[in-house]
Amino acid sequence: MSTSIVQLCHDRDEAGGTFKLLPIRNVLKSASQAEKRDTHSAPSLTANTLAYGILFLTVNRNVQDWIAEELSEILTSEDPSQWAYDQVLPKLKWCQAIMLEPLRLFSTITEIPKDTEQTAQTLRLSNRILEIPPHTAVLSSLLATHGRPKYWDNDSCLWRPSRWIVTSGLAFDDAGTELKTTERLASEALIQPEKGIYFPWAEGARYCPGKKFSLAEFVAIIARILRSYIVSPLHEGNEDEDSANKRILGLIDDSCQGLLIHIREPEKAALMVERRTCDILE
């Protein structure tokens, strides 16, 4: 699935031109199919989350512009083979946020199972200490934790990737001059949630070993697309922009759970990809 997206973008780059039409309804559908074939692995998590991430981006043009600005500043080459993991990934904070936020709202799995096995375990809750008997199964709910306003503010049920970015709060220097893009991006940091409130890859000694791979793959795909393109819903019939956006959000809201949470009818999401009028790397 990831290869399909990147190849489609590459083909359109080779063809040239300033406007591209990229129907990726089948790519989004393949994310759902990959989830059914390959459960509980980094590839299926990436494919599933990519479907949500792209659909959310289509109805949030301002976020696409923020990402494009970040990519323009960080990526010094148009050749993806020159994007060094250790030099690029940590700096692409907005691209990472685009993965972290849909994973918060639509965690691929809904619960993390644990078992005390033969030994009783103690659990501290505020000022209380609870003892969990041997041979007891404990299910930690990702959806309940990831959506709790106590941890994620009163808009915890809304898609807002900016919640993952903290800044120094400075837009101007001491002389009153607006900070350049380089300085402003340098003042931004990706938040690190406190332990126990965000765990789509589980956490502790047995966290998912594919975490870094899935994050790197997701960011690379988003960077490859939004480096040069703007993604928007392909209108159906006489739809205006607002109606098309509501239809896409309706497809997201109509998610369901099989073995994993996924978009029920991703094949109904046809998207248009238009080349930016001014390449962000120029």
Side-chain angles (χ1 to χ4, degrees):
M1 186 275 297
S2 305
T3 303
S4 299
I5 295 180
V6 174
Q7 186 61 50
L8 284 167
C9 287
H10 174 74
D11 292 345
R12 277 137 184 92
D13 284 345
E14 292 292 316
T18 58
F19 178 84
K20 308 297 177 185
L21 183 63
L22 179 59
I24 57 175
R25 67 174 76 199
N26 291 333
V27 175
L28 292 177
K29 185 176 182 179
S30 73
S32 178
Q33 293 171 340
E35 169 262 314
K36 296 172 183 176
R37 291 193 307 268
D38 185 20
T39 60
H40 307 301
S41 68
S44 62
L45 180 146
T46 307
N48 200 55
T49 307
L50 187 61
Y52 282 107
I54 290 178
L55 288 184
F56 274 120
L57 283 170
T58 65
V59 298
N60 288 274
R61 170 65 183 274
N62 61 323
V63 179
Q64 293 188 55
D65 291 341
W66 295 338
I67 294 174
E69 185 180 53
E70 179 179 73
L71 294 172
S72 177
E73 185 66 29
I74 303 302
L75 300 182
T76 57
S77 170
E78 296 188 28
D79 183 2
S81 67
Q82 301 302 311
W83 301 348
Y85 170 87
D86 57 340
Q87 298 176 18
V88 172
L89 183 63
K91 297 179 181 179
L92 296 180
K93 302 153 194 170
W94 278 100
C95 289
Q96 293 183 62
I98 298 305
M99 182 178 197
L100 298 175
E101 183 69 346
L103 269 178
R104 185 183 67 82
L105 293 171
F106 298 94
S107 300
T108 313
I109 57 176
T110 59
E111 298 167 333
I112 299 292
K114 299 291 182 179
D115 194 290
T116 57
E117 298 184 340
Q118 290 82 19
T119 307
Q121 301 288 331
T122 58
L123 179 66
R124 179 181 294 275
L125 295 176
S126 299
N127 59 350
R128 296 184 300 161
I129 297 180
L130 305 179
E131 182 174 287
I132 305 176
H135 305 292
T136 300
V138 178
L139 301 177
S140 299
S141 172
L142 279 77
L143 295 181
T145 306
H146 292 177
R148 192 174 184 187
K150 175 182 178 181
Y151 306 134
W152 302 101
D153 297 330
N154 292 329
D155 64 349
S156 59
C157 292
L158 297 180
W159 186 82
R160 181 169 63 84
S162 60
R163 75 176 76 247
W164 291 92
I165 306 295
V166 292
T167 69
S168 64
L170 297 177
F172 300 88
D173 61 19
D174 294 338
T177 304
E178 187 174 3
L179 293 178
K180 296 180 180 179
T181 300
T182 302
E183 298 168 326
R184 182 172 51 75
L185 290 176
S187 73
E188 296 177 342
L190 197 67
I191 71 165
Q192 299 298 321
E194 61 182 273
K195 185 177 180 181
I197 70 171
Y198 185 75
F199 43 98
W201 290 279
E203 61 181 9
R206 296 185 180 181
Y207 80 96
C208 175
K211 176 181 178 179
K212 289 184 178 180
F213 173 81
S214 63
L215 184 60
E217 183 181 34
F218 183 99
V219 168
I221 294 171
I222 291 297
R224 183 66 182 87
I225 297 173
L226 297 188
R227 177 181 65 88
S228 302
Y229 296 97
I230 299 167
V231 187
S232 58
L234 187 62
H235 293 189
E236 295 183 351
N238 296 322
E239 278 186 330
D240 57 17
E241 181 178 354
D242 186 57
S243 297
N245 288 346
K246 288 181 179 178
R247 176 171 53 81
I248 294 297
L249 290 174
L251 290 173
I252 295 174
D253 288 341
D254 190 34
S255 294
C256 62
Q257 182 175 2
L259 291 175
L260 306 178
I261 292 180
H262 61 275
I263 298 170
R264 187 189 303 273
E265 298 179 299
E267 67 276 6
K268 291 186 177 181
L271 308 181
M272 183 175 67
V273 177
E274 179 184 1
R275 178 175 284 278
R276 290 181 176 272
T277 54
C278 178
D279 195 289
I280 64 171
L281 290 177
E282 292 181 351

